[in-house]
């Protein structure tokens, strides 16, 4: 609008002429009172006819109405605007314009080079006035100029998009009838709409022209059957197409009262859908697959996607109607024992379901068009109404009665469901993701039960492990208690018997105690009575004196020499029970040391591994399908493996090793009664225990590789993985316990070696004739009994570790054994008296066979030790025994060569730096003739002598 105000007049009085005053005024333009954003919002909510009237008011208003984004929005609301196609069209237009520009520039360049100029275009070519510029090509949108008015005299507002469309009935210049359009083409007007930037208004005008008359008539009709769409189109398919387009067209109606108009149109569409659905349902009841069902299913699909037809067909499907005939979940459970499952019934249920489903696939392909995906909602309905109730009933019944049956049922039915999904046949339009959809559907069915299954599976495995290990521990404790009770009970009975007999002799037999006592024989047996007390239920074996047999519970009485006796089925004799408390405790300790190998069982470990395999196999079933269960299933398998390691390691193996080491520390070789075997019995038992532990570790490694790594349930390269860390902890625990046991075993072994050296070494072995009992005795040059026995004892234990431990631990064990053996031999050598004749047995070089056909025959103690250490293949350890062998040569020197003996004692390099001269001197003091050569040796070494005053 314009504002009028009076101007100032200077010079003279004002005139009285009114026209003069109007001429003296000036018009001042002001800005609009509303911003453009508000105008744009108002325009968005105007009907199309009002928009066209607004466009006629001014140029600025026409620019706002003609804005391409406004009509793109309306096309987008109707679902007929494709942004990707619009971008492709814009890129193609831009490319064509650039090609035309390059062609023009190239043509002009050729004309300049050839010198072709004319009078009409000479100035244009030289000055460049006629050359098109990029600014004139409009590389953006292709909107027509506002001054491009038609020459027909019609209003310029109607020349694009809305030609021949009446804006109002009272506009005489616009109220004329357009030429009739083809009714068939109007059915596809939305499909044929183009997505071209700059022409959205024209495309919407074409749609508006085709659909607006049907839209307004449908709103004015009092009854749906009187609408224009049903009068123009008689075919139900065409009616459905037009109604579908009108529903989409109504989405672009943003003017006031659109909710009321949309509801009216919806009621008309619902009435039409109800009528068609009744026809489809009649065909379904009659089984007219290729007639009514196929025809009216296509009508409903054309109208709104055909969801109504899909629901009617699914509800009438035999699978939904007769779902109870497929199987009863209670048939899978034994009525007497809920832990006994008949999972074959589940297989039968899924087999019937697969057969019934595949029979419906052909009907789906015959009834519904390929554009409709019926299989997915059908499967979802089967899962919700058939499979889910069946499984839920089964799982809820088993959950509160048997956890074992519950975990087995969940895992087995899930695997059967996956097999069911693979057995189902797809339809023609199922797509490539049909089986992925089935797997996801199975996962959705089992989702409410999987979390509880994982929790119960781990708890079930933990409980079974606890039962297995506790049973083993209880069995051991009962065996130990029964053995100790048997030994100590005999001691108590002997004491009570001695007390009773002592009192009896003092009180009753006192008058006749001076008489000699005679052994009383039985008149039935004719044999003297053996004066030995028997424990309860013990019988005396007449064939073996000093032996005792313990009959089994299954023994039966028989007559032996006229007496009733018990004959045992077991013929294994056991030693006679001890008669003193000290002997009983020694026997108990011996039985415990002999029972070290039974502190943990390979059978228990194998049972635990089998139980873990079963649980992991069940849990790994849920990792076969990529989805929501894959990560949880892998975590469950890792948790089961970790539980296996903790139970097997901390509860079984670790406790067994600790108890074995504690019992091994109590071993005293001087209290042992049997030293005839080439080895320490408790240490041999412990090394066998180490072999069992190594075998258990190998079992765990194989199980880890085959069950977790091969099935890709865990990653061995992830050092932060809890499975990897727990496995390393288990191996470290086993190595630590083996090392601790071997350390204690070395101490026991060395104690046994010291005992053998102290008890078996004869005085005359290295000093013949020391006792003076034999004259002209022939010196035996073979290794002494002590040396042979020591090597057999030590080698028997070192060989047992070969193959059961790693090379590093074996080398450390052998080196420690060798060093301690070296120390013991040095101590033992210092306790002996060695003569020159006896030194031949102490050290003598090997006698090799001719041509080297056999191994050399070593003929001395020191060389016997040296060969044994050489078999350990430890070069550092071998140096000590080389030095020890050289040291033994000081005993072979004749007493007349005292100077030579002193030279050898003082030669440090001879002994490889292992023995100092002072230490060699101490060994030289053990010569049998030392007091004869001492003065001369000291004089040769220190320049002094010993004088007797």
């Amino acid at each position: 609008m314009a504002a009028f105000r009076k101007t100032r007049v200077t010079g003279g009085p004002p005139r009285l002429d009114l026209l003069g005053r109007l001429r003296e005024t000036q018009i001042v333009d002001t800005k609009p009172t509303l911003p453009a954003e508000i105008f744009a919002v108002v325009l968005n909510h105007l009907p199309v006819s009002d928009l066209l009237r607004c466009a006629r008011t001014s140029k600025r208003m026409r620019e706002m109405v003609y804005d391409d984004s406004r009509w793109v929005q309306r096309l987008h609301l109707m679902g007929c605007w494709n942004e990707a196609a619009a971008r492709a069209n814009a890129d193609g237009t831009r490319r064509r314009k650039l090609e035309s520009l390059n062609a023009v520039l190239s043509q002009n360049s050729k004309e300049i080079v050839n010198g072709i100029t004319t009078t009409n275009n000479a100035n244009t070519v030289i000055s460049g006035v006629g050359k098109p510029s990029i600014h004139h090509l409009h590389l953006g949108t292709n909107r027509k100029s506002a001054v491009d008015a038609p020459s027909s005299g019609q209003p310029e507002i109607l020349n694009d998009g809305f030609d021949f469309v009446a804006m109002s009935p009272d506009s005489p210049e616009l109220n004329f009838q357009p030429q009739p359009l083809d009714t068939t083409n109007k059915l596809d007007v939305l499909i044929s709409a183009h997505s071209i930037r700059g022409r959205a208004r024209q495309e919407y005008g074409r749609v508006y022209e085709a659909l607006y008359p049907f839209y307004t008539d449908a709103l004015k009709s009092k009854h749906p059957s009187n609408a224009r769409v049903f009068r123009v189109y008689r075919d139900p398919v065409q009616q459905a197409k037009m109604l579908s387009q009108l529903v989409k067209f109504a989405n672009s109606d943003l003017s006031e009262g659109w909710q009321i108009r949309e509801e009216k149109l919806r009621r008309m569409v619902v009435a039409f859908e109800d009528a068609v659905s009744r026809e489809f349902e009649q065909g379904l009841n009659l089984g007219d697959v290729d007639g009514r069902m196929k025809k009216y299913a296509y009508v409903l699909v054309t109208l709104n996607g055909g969801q109504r037809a899909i629901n009617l067909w699914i509800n009438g499907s035999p699978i939904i109607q007769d779902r109870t005939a497929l199987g009863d979940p209670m048939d899978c459970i034994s009525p007497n024992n809920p832990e006994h499952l008949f999972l074959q019934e589940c297989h039968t249920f899924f087999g019937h379901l697969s057969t019934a489903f595949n029979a419906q696939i052909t009907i789906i392909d015959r009834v519904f068009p390929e554009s409709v995906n019926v299989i997915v909602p059908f499967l979802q309905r089967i899962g919700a109404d058939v499979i889910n109730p069946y499984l839920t009933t089964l799982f809820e019944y088993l959950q509160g009665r048997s956890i074992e049956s519950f975990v087995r049922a969940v895992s087995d039915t899930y695997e059967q469901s996956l097999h069911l999904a693979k057995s189902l046949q797809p339809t023609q339009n199922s797509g490539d993701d049909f089986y992925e959809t089935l797997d996801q559907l199975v996962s959705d069915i089992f989702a409410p039960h999987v979390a509880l299954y994982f929790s119960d599976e781990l708890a079930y495995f933990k409980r079974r492990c606890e039962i297995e290990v506790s049973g083993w521990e209880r069995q051991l404790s009962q065996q130990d208690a029964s053995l100790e009770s048997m030994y100590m009970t005999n001691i108590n009975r002997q004491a009570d018997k001695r007390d009773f007999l002592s009192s009896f002799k003092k009180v009753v037999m006192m008058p006749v105690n001076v008489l000699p006592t005679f052994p009383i024989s039985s008149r039935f047996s004719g044999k003297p009575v053996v004066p030995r007390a028997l424990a309860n239920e013990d019988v005396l074996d007449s064939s073996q004196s000093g032996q005792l047999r313990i009959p089994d519970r299954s023994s039966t009485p028989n007559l032996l020499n006229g007496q009733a006796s018990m004959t045992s089925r077991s013929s294994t004799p056991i030693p006679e029970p001890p008669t003193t408390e000290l002997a009983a405790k020694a026997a108990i300790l011996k039985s415990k040391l002999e029972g070290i190998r039974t502190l943990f069982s390979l059978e228990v470990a194998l049972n635990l591994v089998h139980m873990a395999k079963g649980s992991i196999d069940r849990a790994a079933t849920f990792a076969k399908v990529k989805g929501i269960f894959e990560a949880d299933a892998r975590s469950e398998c890792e948790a089961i493996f970790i539980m296996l390691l903790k139970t097997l390691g901390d509860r079984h193996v670790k406790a067994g090793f600790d108890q074995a080491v504690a019992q091994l520390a109590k071993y005293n070789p001087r209290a042992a009664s049997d030293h005839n075997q080439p080895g320490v019995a408790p240490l041999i038992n412990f090394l066998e225990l180490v072999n069992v532990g190594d075998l258990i570790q190998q079992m765990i490694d194989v199980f880890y590789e085959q069950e977790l790594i091969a099935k890709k349930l865990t990653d061995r390269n992830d050092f932060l993985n809890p499975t990897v860390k727990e496995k390393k902890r288990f191996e470290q625990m086993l190595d630590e316990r083996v090392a601790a046991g071997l350390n204690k075993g070395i101490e026991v072994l060395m104690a046994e070696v010291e005992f053998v050296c102290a008890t078996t070494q004869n005085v005359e072995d290295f000093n013949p004739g020391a006792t003076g009992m034999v004259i002209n005795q022939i010196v035996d040059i073979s290794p002494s009994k002590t040396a042979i026995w020591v090597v057999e004892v030590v080698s028997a234990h070192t060989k047992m570790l070969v193959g059961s431990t790693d090379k590093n631990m074996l080398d450390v064990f052998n080196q420690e054994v060798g060093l301690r053996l070296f120390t013991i031999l040095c101590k033992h050598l210092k306790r002996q008296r060695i003569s020159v004749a006896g030194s031949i047995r102490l050290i003598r070089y090997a006698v090799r066979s001719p041509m080297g056909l056999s191994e050399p025959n070593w003929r001395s103690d020191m060389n016997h030790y040296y060969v044994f250490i050489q078999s350990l293949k430890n070069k550092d350890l071998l140096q000590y025994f080389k030095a020890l062998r050289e040291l033994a040569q000081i005993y072979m020197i004749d007493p007349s060569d005292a100077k030579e003996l002193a030279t050898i004692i003082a030669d440090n390099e001879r002994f490889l730096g292992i023995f100092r001269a002072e230490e060699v001197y101490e060994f030289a003091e053990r010569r049998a003739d030392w007091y004869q050569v001492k003065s001369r040796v000291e004089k040769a070494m220190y320049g002094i002598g010993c004088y007797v005053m």
Side-chain angles (χ1 to χ4, degrees):
M1 298 178 62
F4 297 90
R5 62 182 179 180
K6 185 177 181 181
T7 59
R8 295 181 180 180
V9 179
T10 59
R15 299 180 180 179
L16 298 177
D17 188 5
L18 295 176
L19 295 176
R21 291 180 179 273
L22 290 175
R23 286 193 296 268
E24 292 176 357
T25 59
Q26 60 182 358
I27 299 175
V28 180
D29 294 333
T30 60
K31 294 181 179 180
T33 57
L34 295 177
E37 291 79 3
I38 296 180
F39 273 114
V41 174
V42 173
L43 292 177
N44 288 336
H45 293 82
L46 291 179
V48 175
S49 58
D50 292 341
L51 281 175
L52 299 180
R53 292 190 182 91
C54 292
R56 299 174 63 185
T57 57
S58 63
K59 292 182 179 180
R60 184 175 182 182
M61 192 62 68
R62 184 175 67 175
E63 291 178 356
M64 295 183 66
V65 172
Y66 278 22
D67 185 16
D68 195 64
S69 61
R70 188 179 313 283
W71 307 101
V72 169
Q73 179 186 5
R74 291 179 178 266
L75 292 175
H76 184 73
L77 291 175
M78 291 189 299
C80 57
W81 178 264
N82 190 347
E83 185 65 25
R87 292 180 180 179
N89 291 330
D91 293 339
T93 303
R94 185 181 297 105
R95 185 172 56 256
R96 288 191 296 271
K97 289 185 177 181
L98 287 175
E99 291 175 356
S100 62
L101 174 61
N102 294 330
V104 171
L105 294 177
S106 176
Q107 183 66 26
N108 292 339
S109 299
K110 290 181 181 180
E111 292 178 356
I112 293 174
V113 171
N114 295 332
I116 301 175
T117 57
T118 59
T119 306
N120 296 330
N121 60 5
N123 295 331
T124 303
V125 173
I126 296 174
S127 61
V129 175
K131 182 172 64 175
S133 63
I134 296 178
H135 300 287
H136 292 97
L137 291 176
H138 298 287
L139 297 181
T141 59
N142 187 19
R143 188 175 60 190
K144 289 187 176 182
S145 176
V147 298
D148 187 11
S151 59
S152 59
Q154 296 180 358
E156 60 184 12
I157 191 66
L158 296 176
N159 64 344
D160 284 333
F162 296 95
D163 301 333
F164 311 111
V165 178
M167 293 180 294
S168 62
D170 53 354
S171 298
E173 68 278 9
L174 297 177
N175 191 12
F176 61 90
Q177 294 295 331
Q179 296 180 358
L181 299 177
D182 187 5
T183 57
T184 304
N185 294 334
K186 292 180 180 180
L187 297 175
D188 300 325
V189 64
L190 292 180
I191 300 176
S192 61
H194 301 287
S195 300
I196 303 175
R197 297 186 184 277
R199 295 190 56 86
R201 179 168 49 86
Q202 288 84 346
E203 291 297 326
Y204 184 81
R206 189 169 64 89
V207 173
Y208 187 87
E209 178 187 2
L211 301 181
Y212 185 73
F214 293 96
Y215 180 69
T216 55
D217 183 78
L219 299 178
K220 295 178 181 179
S221 299
K222 295 182 179 180
H223 193 272
S225 60
N226 298 329
R228 182 178 180 181
V229 62
F230 299 112
R231 298 195 307 269
V232 175
Y233 301 102
R234 309 301 299 179
D235 186 11
V237 177
Q238 295 179 341
Q239 294 172 356
K241 284 185 177 180
M242 181 54 67
L243 289 176
S244 177
Q245 291 189 128
L246 292 179
V247 171
K248 297 178 181 179
F249 180 76
N251 295 330
S252 65
D253 185 3
L254 304 177
S255 59
E256 184 179 3
W258 63 271
Q259 296 92 340
I260 300 175
R261 294 189 292 272
E262 184 178 10
E263 181 62 23
K264 290 182 179 180
L265 182 62
R266 189 193 66 82
R267 287 198 297 266
M268 185 178 67
V269 173
V270 168
F272 177 77
E273 185 180 16
D274 292 340
V276 177
S277 299
R278 286 192 295 270
E279 295 293 334
F280 178 83
E281 191 171 4
Q282 291 178 3
L284 178 62
N285 296 331
L286 296 175
D288 189 5
V289 176
D290 297 324
R292 285 188 175 184
M293 290 180 64
K294 183 176 181 179
K295 175 182 178 181
Y296 291 105
Y298 183 77
V299 173
L300 291 174
V301 169
T302 305
L303 179 64
N304 52 13
Q307 190 61 41
R308 186 79 169 270
I310 295 174
N311 293 335
L312 290 174
W313 183 83
I314 292 176
N315 292 332
S317 174
I319 299 179
I320 304 300
Q321 294 291 333
D322 302 332
R323 53 180 174 267
T324 57
L326 297 175
D328 187 4
M330 301 309 295
D331 294 339
C332 303
I333 305 170
S334 174
N336 299 325
N337 186 7
E339 295 184 357
H340 185 63
L341 294 178
F342 301 104
L343 294 178
Q344 185 62 33
E345 297 296 331
C346 293
H347 287 275
T348 304
F349 167 78
F350 286 108
H352 291 168
L353 181 60
S354 175
T355 303
F357 179 86
N358 292 332
Q360 300 296 313
I361 295 300
T362 56
I363 299 177
I364 294 176
D365 293 334
R366 291 165 58 187
V367 173
F368 295 94
E370 296 182 359
S371 60
V372 182
N373 190 359
V374 185
I375 197 71
V376 173
F378 186 38
L379 289 172
Q380 291 175 350
R381 184 69 177 276
I382 292 175
D385 294 352
V386 180
I387 301 178
N388 195 20
Y390 182 89
L391 298 178
T392 302
T393 304
L394 178 63
F395 295 160
E396 289 180 352
Y397 181 85
L398 295 175
Q399 183 180 352
R401 291 171 174 82
S402 175
I403 185 174
E404 178 182 2
S405 300
F406 173 73
V407 296
R408 287 179 54 203
V410 173
S411 176
D412 192 79
T413 53
Y414 181 78
E415 188 171 5
Q416 294 178 24
S417 299
L418 295 180
H419 290 307
L420 171 67
K422 295 179 181 179
S423 65
L424 299 182
Q425 298 177 3
T427 58
Q428 297 178 357
N429 59 340
S430 296
D432 297 335
D433 58 345
F434 171 70
Y435 291 104
E436 288 77 2
T437 304
L438 287 177
D439 293 339
Q440 183 63 37
L441 179 62
V442 172
S443 300
D444 294 339
I445 294 174
F446 280 84
H449 311 287
V450 170
L452 182 60
Y453 161 75
F454 285 149
S455 177
D456 288 351
E457 183 69 63
L458 186 59
Y460 171 66
F461 175 71
K462 182 178 180 180
R463 189 185 67 179
R464 291 190 64 189
C465 291
E466 185 68 23
I467 294 174
E468 184 73 21
V469 177
S470 299
W472 168 258
E473 294 175 350
R474 185 170 55 255
Q475 181 182 0
L476 287 182
S477 62
Q478 290 176 356
Q479 291 178 357
D480 295 340
S482 61
L483 183 62
E484 184 174 358
S485 175
M486 184 188 69
Y487 286 145
M488 297 307 295
T489 300
N490 185 68
I491 299 303
N492 296 333
R493 289 173 179 173
Q494 289 288 347
D496 295 340
K497 185 176 181 180
R498 283 194 298 269
D499 293 341
F500 174 77
L501 291 177
S502 177
S503 301
F504 179 78
K505 289 180 180 180
K506 290 180 181 179
V507 178
V508 180
M509 303 295 293
M510 186 174 295
V512 292
N513 59 0
V514 296
L515 298 176
T517 58
F518 300 95
I520 302 175
S521 301
S522 174
R523 60 175 181 154
F524 297 101
S525 62
K527 293 185 179 180
V529 177
V530 179
R532 182 172 60 88
L534 301 178
N536 287 340
E537 300 181 1
D538 290 351
V539 293
L540 185 63
D541 190 354
S542 60
S543 62
Q544 296 181 359
S545 62
Q547 295 291 330
L548 184 67
R549 298 179 185 269
I550 298 180
D552 294 336
R553 295 181 179 180
S554 59
S555 59
T556 58
N558 62 356
L559 293 177
L560 179 61
N561 296 329
Q563 290 182 342
S565 63
M566 300 292 293
T567 302
S568 174
R569 295 183 181 180
S570 175
S571 61
T572 302
I574 66 171
E576 180 182 353
T579 56
T580 62
E581 184 176 359
L582 180 60
K585 291 183 177 180
I588 293 173
L589 178 60
K590 180 181 178 181
S591 65
K592 289 183 178 180
L593 292 176
E594 291 176 351
I596 285 179
R597 70 184 71 184
T598 62
L599 292 177
F600 57 79
S601 171
L602 185 63
E603 182 181 0
V604 173
L606 188 61
N607 292 337
L608 293 177
V609 170
H610 277 300
M611 288 187 292
K613 183 180 185 303
S615 296
I616 289 178
D617 288 343
R618 287 192 295 267
T621 305
F622 294 90
K624 294 181 180 180
V625 179
K626 295 182 178 180
I628 59 177
F629 301 148
E630 184 179 9
D632 295 337
R634 290 181 177 179
S635 301
E636 180 74 7
C637 295
E638 292 177 352
I640 293 173
F641 182 72
I642 292 173
M643 182 62 64
L644 170 65
L645 294 180
K646 288 182 178 180
T647 304
L648 189 59
D650 297 340
R651 286 293 310 279
H652 195 57
V653 176
K654 181 181 177 182
F657 269 115
D658 292 342
Q659 188 176 358
V661 173
Q663 294 179 2
L664 194 61
K666 300 177 182 179
Y667 175 75
N668 185 6
R670 299 188 182 277
S673 60
D674 186 10
H675 292 279
N676 297 325
Q677 299 296 328
V680 183
L683 182 55
I684 292 176
N685 294 335
F686 179 79
L687 295 180
E688 291 181 0
L689 193 69
V690 173
N691 291 329
V692 175
D694 180 71
L695 186 58
I696 290 176
Q697 182 178 356
Q698 293 180 12
M699 288 169 51
I700 294 298
D701 292 337
V702 173
F703 179 79
Y704 179 74
E705 291 291 335
Q706 293 184 356
E707 296 298 324
L708 295 178
I709 301 300
K711 296 180 180 179
K712 298 181 180 180
L713 298 176
T714 187
D715 184 11
R716 67 155 61 95
N717 299 322
D718 184 8
F719 64 93
L720 296 178
N721 190 286
T723 305
V724 177
K725 295 193 294 184
E726 187 63 27
K727 185 172 181 293
K728 290 182 178 179
R729 193 183 73 85
F730 175 80
E731 295 173 352
Q732 182 180 3
M733 179 275 300
L734 194 59
D735 293 340
E736 290 176 354
R737 293 304 178 276
V738 171
L742 291 179
N743 184 39
K744 186 61 63 177
I746 292 174
E747 295 178 0
V748 172
L749 178 62
M750 293 302 105
E752 183 73 14
V753 171
E754 288 183 352
F755 178 79
V756 171
C757 292
T759 56
T760 62
Q761 192 75 61
N762 195 357
V763 177
E764 293 188 353
D765 286 345
F766 304 134
N767 190 9
T771 59
M773 298 297 295
V774 181
I775 301 175
N776 297 327
Q777 182 181 8
I778 300 175
V779 179
D780 187 6
I781 62 175
S782 63
S784 65
K785 177 182 178 182
T786 302
I788 295 175
W789 192 252
V790 168
V791 171
E792 288 182 356
V793 169
V794 177
S795 62
H797 298 86
T798 55
K799 290 179 181 179
M800 292 185 65
L801 287 177
V802 177
S804 61
T805 58
D806 58 350
K807 187 177 182 302
N808 295 330
M809 182 175 293
L810 182 62
D811 292 340
V812 172
F813 177 79
N814 292 337
Q815 185 172 2
E816 187 67 20
V817 169
L819 290 176
R820 294 193 185 188
L821 178 62
F822 173 79
T823 304
I824 291 174
L825 292 178
C826 291
K827 292 181 180 180
H828 178 65
L829 196 60
K830 290 180 180 180
R831 290 193 293 263
Q832 306 300 317
R833 280 295 177 183
I834 307 171
S835 64
V836 175
S839 64
I840 297 176
R841 192 170 191 179
L842 180 65
I843 177 169
R844 182 175 178 85
Y845 291 103
V847 178
R848 298 181 181 273
S849 62
M851 304 299 293
L853 297 179
S854 61
E855 293 293 331
N857 187 11
W858 300 97
R859 296 285 184 167
S860 70
D861 285 12
M862 292 302 166
N863 282 309
H864 194 61
Y865 295 136
Y866 179 82
V867 170
F868 166 67
I869 297 300
Q870 194 176 25
S871 64
L872 299 181
K873 298 180 181 180
N874 192 322
K875 296 181 179 180
D876 297 335
L877 184 61
L878 192 62
Q879 299 298 320
Y880 288 87
F881 286 84
K882 282 184 179 180
L884 186 61
R885 190 176 64 176
E886 293 294 331
L887 177 66
Q889 295 181 4
I890 64 176
Y891 302 108
M892 300 183 64
I893 300 175
D894 191 80
S896 61
D897 295 333
K899 186 177 180 180
E900 182 67 20
L901 178 60
T903 303
I904 294 176
I905 293 175
D907 189 3
N908 291 329
E909 295 181 357
R910 187 184 186 92
F911 307 105
L912 305 176
I914 295 175
F915 295 107
R916 293 180 289 110
E918 293 80 2
E919 296 176 345
V920 179
Y921 183 82
E922 293 178 359
F923 284 101
E925 290 179 343
R926 305 311 301 168
R927 287 176 59 99
D929 56 354
W930 174 248
Y931 292 104
Q932 299 177 10
V933 299
K934 177 181 179 182
S935 59
R936 287 177 289 175
V937 171
E938 290 181 349
K939 184 177 180 180
M941 292 181 62
Y942 308 115
I944 60 175
C946 179
Y947 298 94
V948 179
M949 301 300 293

